[in-house]
Amino acid sequence: PNKSRWNRFKFAVGGTWKRLCDWFDWMMPEAWNVEHNNRHHYCLSEVEDPDLVENNLVELRNLPIPAVFKWLALPFITTTWKWFYYAPNTYKELKLAKWRKMGKPIPEGVIPSDAVTMRSLLLSGTPFYSLSEFFAIVMGPYLIIHFFLFPLPLLAIGEYLGKGSEMYMSAVKNLFLAELLTNFHGFVAVVTNHAGDDMYRFRDGCRPYSGSFYLRQVLASVDFWTGSDINDFLHGYLNYQIEHHLWPSLSMLSYKKSQPLVKNLCKKHGVPYVQENVFKRLKKTVDIMTGASSMRWFPEEYEQKFIERDAVHEAAKKNKKPVLLSDKCMEAAE
């Protein structure tokens, strides 16, 4: 493949046309790169993780109402989350990253880790961008082009066949119905990967690719059923979430090959490796969302000890004198 074209730094990035050709969805690919590839992967299950379900649904969790009324909100949340939560929040993370790069201060009273949703955007706004900017750059292109412009040929065909706008309107309705279904499928396959009363949360950040980093990817992620091609396809290969977080750049087939090796390695060293049916994980995620259960906090004492150990290992690597091939040959000769 052409690596200058097909790489994560250029795929779908660079304007509406590239987005349309490569990956047309509610969120901006540039914003997703920051929110998912950076913030989520390297702050997994910390407060700074923008995809931390327990933190993002804190208002629903704390509502002093019976659980049955909280469940009434679930059909809306699960079928609209891409545009209602993910699109505005990924764009917030992109703007926040630009602010930090420029050294621009965060306004007083603004908590950067708080999620920006359509609800908060409409009711109180956000200092990071305006509603009009969000619609023009992020949400508007997908809404207008995907739902109303793509089916336009059916309007002409319908007029030619004497059916008027019937075919066009039918296509628009089907696109909106498909949007609800794909949101629900995405919710089940994506959101449930890191939520449940058997998943851990962490207080402080850790060094990327350190011992703590790799341990956290296992303790705060869950695999679904794995193995068969059909099953993997239906899950979008998100059923290998632990392996995906250990090695984000690996191919999907490499996840499949590495999964039994990782599981056996965790078993050997006593590291909890959670693997369950996706629908069981959906129930556990709903319990987190509604406040029926809570995630586990990793013991603070061990968290700090592991972070300190990581720092010692990092310092040792920097101070370690490189061993030359000629030195190894001399040692072998002796």
Side-chain angles (χ1 to χ4, degrees):
N2 183 358
K3 293 184 179 180
S4 63
R5 167 70 175 89
W6 303 107
N7 70 77
R8 58 178 174 164
F9 300 106
K10 292 186 177 181
F11 184 75
V13 173
T16 303
W17 177 250
K18 289 289 295 291
R19 180 181 171 191
L20 176 64
C21 293
D22 292 346
W23 181 24
F24 204 36
D25 210 326
W26 290 106
M27 72 290 297
M28 275 185 71
E30 293 92 334
W32 182 83
N33 284 340
V34 173
E35 192 271 356
H36 176 265
N37 293 350
N38 189 310
R39 304 297 294 164
H40 171 61
H41 268 273
Y42 295 100
C43 303
L44 182 62
S45 281
E46 303 165 18
V47 174
E48 294 298 320
D49 180 359
D51 293 337
L52 184 58
V53 174
E54 190 172 60
N55 188 55
N56 291 338
L57 273 296
V58 66
E59 289 187 11
L60 180 64
R61 285 172 53 83
N62 294 336
L63 276 179
I65 59 174
V68 63
F69 293 111
K70 295 182 181 182
W71 276 72
L72 293 177
L74 297 179
F76 176 81
I77 294 173
T78 58
T79 57
T80 64
W81 69 280
K82 280 190 177 184
W83 63 266
F84 188 83
Y85 151 71
Y86 210 47
N89 202 51
T90 52
Y91 194 52
K92 181 264 290 186
E93 290 294 336
L94 175 64
K95 302 290 282 191
L96 181 59
K98 290 181 177 180
W99 278 28
R100 286 170 171 159
K101 188 175 182 179
M102 294 186 298
K104 188 174 180 179
I106 306 297
E108 187 176 350
V110 174
I111 303 175
S113 58
D114 283 353
V116 173
T117 65
M118 286 302 301
R119 176 176 172 269
S120 61
L121 196 56
L122 291 170
L123 294 180
S124 57
T126 174
F128 299 108
Y129 55 85
S130 65
L131 179 61
S132 59
E133 177 187 344
F134 173 72
F135 186 83
I137 297 176
V138 183
M139 189 175 182
Y142 184 73
L143 176 65
I144 295 171
I145 297 173
H146 180 75
F147 293 98
F148 299 105
L149 296 186
F150 278 169
L152 269 181
L154 293 175
L155 190 60
I157 295 173
E159 290 292 340
Y160 178 77
L161 297 177
K163 295 182 177 294
S165 61
E166 181 182 343
M167 295 176 67
Y168 174 77
M169 292 307 300
S170 178
V172 170
K173 291 174 185 177
N174 275 281
L175 283 172
F176 276 104
L177 177 61
E179 181 64 28
L180 297 176
L181 294 176
T182 193
N183 266 264
F184 182 74
H185 175 265
F187 183 92
V188 172
V190 175
V191 180
T192 56
N193 288 138
H194 305 288
D197 58 4
D198 51 358
M199 295 285 100
Y200 283 91
R201 289 187 61 175
F202 306 94
R203 296 166 184 82
D204 299 310
C206 65
R207 295 169 181 268
Y209 310 115
S210 63
S212 293
F213 173 84
Y214 287 114
L215 179 65
R216 292 182 182 195
Q217 310 315 304
V218 180
L219 296 181
S221 305
V222 58
D223 272 18
F224 307 139
W225 285 352
T226 57
S228 73
D229 292 337
I230 294 177
N231 177 73
D232 293 347
F233 175 79
L234 292 175
H235 285 85
Y237 282 84
L238 293 166
N239 47 334
Y240 298 98
Q241 191 66 196
I242 293 175
E243 291 71 32
H244 168 62
H245 268 261
L246 290 172
W247 305 290
S249 298
L250 279 187
S251 69
M252 295 174 180
L253 290 179
S254 294
Y255 294 149
K256 188 172 186 175
K257 293 177 181 178
S258 65
Q259 189 270 334
L261 301 176
V262 174
K263 187 174 184 178
N264 288 335
L265 188 63
C266 289
K267 183 179 180 180
K268 177 181 178 181
H269 294 281
V271 177
Y273 184 101
V274 180
Q275 184 176 19
E276 282 188 319
N277 179 288
V278 67
F279 295 108
K280 287 185 179 179
R281 299 312 306 183
L282 176 61
K283 174 59 169 62
K284 290 189 175 184
T285 300
V286 168
D287 287 343
I288 294 294
M289 294 168 65
T290 58
S293 66
S294 298
M295 294 176 67
R296 301 178 179 182
W297 282 97
F298 194 74
E300 187 172 9
E301 178 185 359
Y302 288 105
E303 184 175 328
Q304 293 303 317
K305 283 184 177 180
F306 290 165
I307 291 175
E308 291 170 5
R309 183 179 297 177
D310 294 337
V312 171
H313 287 171
E314 185 67 23
K317 284 196 298 183
K318 289 181 178 179
N319 295 328
K320 187 177 180 180
K321 182 181 178 181
V323 179
L324 301 177
L325 180 60
S326 57
D327 294 334
K328 290 184 178 181
C329 293
M330 289 298 293
E331 290 175 4
E334 293 173 358

